[in-house]
């Protein structure tokens, strides 16, 4: 993590593709590969698009992560999880995040800014995976319960990216 802020010029040079690489690295550092999200997307859309492949799912995950608003939500969410693990947040927010309190609600709200980019199919899919916690979401949820670990924002971010990609596929392939 950098210790000084980027100058305006340095920041402007960070185009969306470079930010995409940063997002991919940041997710990886938190244990998430793009393929994990593509698997969720595949399971969500396969019943509606029988010819669907993992390659197509990965392509749409990429598309979602290239969106600026999505990148910003990912950066904010992951940063808050990391700051909570380092105990660098003040109370009562620190305990809310470390305890992943069900009524906190802001993790889901942040994730909505991701699904909003792709319309209502993204929204309904997000509610569905949030409730059932399939695949990597369940893994993150369990890992976040370990002492000192915080995935409060990350599980929603991952569910939202997968759901947004499912929505993007639905709009592209719907018959
Ligand atoms: Mg959460």
């Amino acid at each position: 993590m950098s210790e000084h802020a980027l100058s305006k010029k340095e920041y402007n040079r960070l185009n969306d593709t470079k930010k995409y690489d940063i997002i991919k690295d940041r997710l990886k550092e938190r244990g998430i590969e793009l393929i994990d999200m593509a698997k969720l997307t595949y399971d969500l859309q396969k019943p509606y698009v029988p010819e669907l492949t993992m390659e197509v799912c990965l392509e749409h995950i990429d598309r979602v992560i290239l969106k600026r608003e999505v990148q910003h939500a990912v950066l904010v969410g992951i940063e808050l999880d990391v700051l909570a693990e380092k105990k660098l947040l003040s109370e009562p927010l620190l305990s809310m995040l470390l305890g992943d309190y069900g009524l906190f609600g802001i993790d889901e709200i942040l994730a909505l800014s991701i699904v909003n980019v792709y319309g209502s199919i993204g929204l309904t899919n997000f509610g569905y995976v949030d409730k059932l916690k399939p695949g990597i979401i369940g893994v993150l949820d369990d890992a976040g319960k370990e002492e000192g670990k915080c995935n409060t924002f990350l599980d929603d971010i991952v569910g939202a990216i997968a759901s947004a990609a499912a929505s993007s596929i639905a709009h592209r392939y719907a018959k």
Side-chain angles (χ1 to χ4, degrees):
M1 215 167 282
S2 64
E3 254 126 51
H4 64 278
L6 296 175
S7 70
K8 199 161 184 193
K9 214 169 147 191
E10 285 171 316
Y11 177 78
N12 287 339
R13 256 190 257 124
L14 267 186
N15 59 31
D16 289 349
T17 315
K18 276 195 196 128
K19 278 203 223 132
Y20 166 91
D21 290 333
I22 293 171
I23 299 295
K24 224 170 76 175
D25 290 346
R26 208 52 65 82
L27 285 165
K28 204 178 179 138
E29 283 162 18
R30 303 297 291 168
I32 306 297
E33 302 285 349
L34 300 189
I35 192 88
D36 299 324
M37 295 186 286
K39 278 181 194 153
L40 296 173
T41 303
Y42 182 88
D43 290 340
L44 287 170
Q45 276 309 301
K46 185 71 177 169
Y48 309 102
V49 184
E51 71 273 26
L52 187 64
T53 62
M54 280 297 287
E55 285 71 27
V56 169
C57 293
L58 272 169
E59 185 193 313
H60 285 264
I61 293 283
D62 274 350
R63 254 180 221 217
V64 170
I65 297 179
L66 276 163
K67 292 264 181 197
R68 199 170 297 179
E69 197 174 342
V70 172
Q71 295 176 343
H72 297 166
V74 174
L75 289 175
V76 170
I78 288 183
E79 198 74 13
L80 284 168
D81 281 350
V82 170
L83 290 173
E85 285 181 1
K86 293 180 176 169
K87 300 201 163 46
L88 289 173
L89 298 171
S90 48
E91 293 290 6
L93 183 60
L94 178 63
S95 292
M96 286 174 185
L97 295 195
L98 284 177
D100 196 6
Y101 289 132
L103 294 177
F104 175 59
I106 306 304
D107 41 348
E108 285 89 3
I109 295 297
L110 182 84
L112 288 182
S113 68
I114 296 174
V115 291
N116 276 346
V117 176
Y118 288 91
S120 59
I121 296 173
L123 184 67
T124 50
N125 277 321
F126 175 66
Y128 177 76
V129 294
D130 185 46
K131 194 100 187 135
L132 293 185
K133 305 195 187 307
I136 188 71
I137 300 179
V139 174
L140 286 174
D141 196 52
D142 288 342
K145 289 183 181 118
E146 283 167 32
E147 187 67 34
K149 275 291 289 173
C150 181
N151 287 332
T152 296
F153 281 91
L154 187 62
D155 60 345
D156 298 290
I157 285 170
V158 164
I161 292 173
S163 302
S167 187
S168 171
I169 289 168
H171 286 288
R172 168 82 177 67
Y173 293 92
K175 296 199 171 85

